[in-house]
């Protein structure tokens, strides 16, 4: 069973929306709020990478366990 990349896709969507919100905040002249949005985008980006790496690791472990059970 392949792990579903749902959480990584949600985190990536949040990252994109946070970047858009940061651009809008900077364009309106609200620097402190824009910086908060940039920090939120960074956090969401790290979460997306974490979930992608976790899914790859789970796939590798499943493949290794499948290979051991066939022997």
């Amino acid at each position: 069973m392949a792990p579903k990349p749902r959480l990584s896709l949600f985190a990536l969507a949040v990252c994109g929306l946070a970047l858009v919100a940061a651009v809008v905040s900077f364009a309106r002249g609200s620097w402190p709020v824009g910086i908060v949005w940039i920090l939120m985008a960074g956090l969401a980006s790290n979460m997306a990478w974490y979930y992608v790496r976790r899914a790859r690791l789970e796939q590798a472990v499943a493949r290794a366990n499948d290979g051991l059970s066939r022997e």
Side-chain angles (χ1 to χ4, degrees):
M1 181 171 128
K4 297 180 176 134
R6 213 175 295 158
L7 288 175
S8 60
L9 292 176
F10 286 152
L12 193 60
V14 169
C15 179
L17 291 173
L19 284 175
V20 170
V23 169
V24 169
S25 295
F26 287 135
R28 290 185 178 181
S30 181
W31 288 90
V33 176
I35 291 171
V36 170
W37 281 117
I38 290 291
L39 293 173
M40 178 68 110
L43 178 66
S45 171
N46 286 343
M47 288 176 62
W49 276 115
Y50 169 77
Y51 286 122
V52 166
R53 289 182 63 204
R54 184 173 141 190
R56 286 182 186 165
L57 181 63
E58 287 176 359
Q59 286 178 347
V61 167
R63 270 189 255 123
N65 287 341
D66 188 37
L68 289 176
S69 66
R70 290 184 182 182
E71 291 178 2

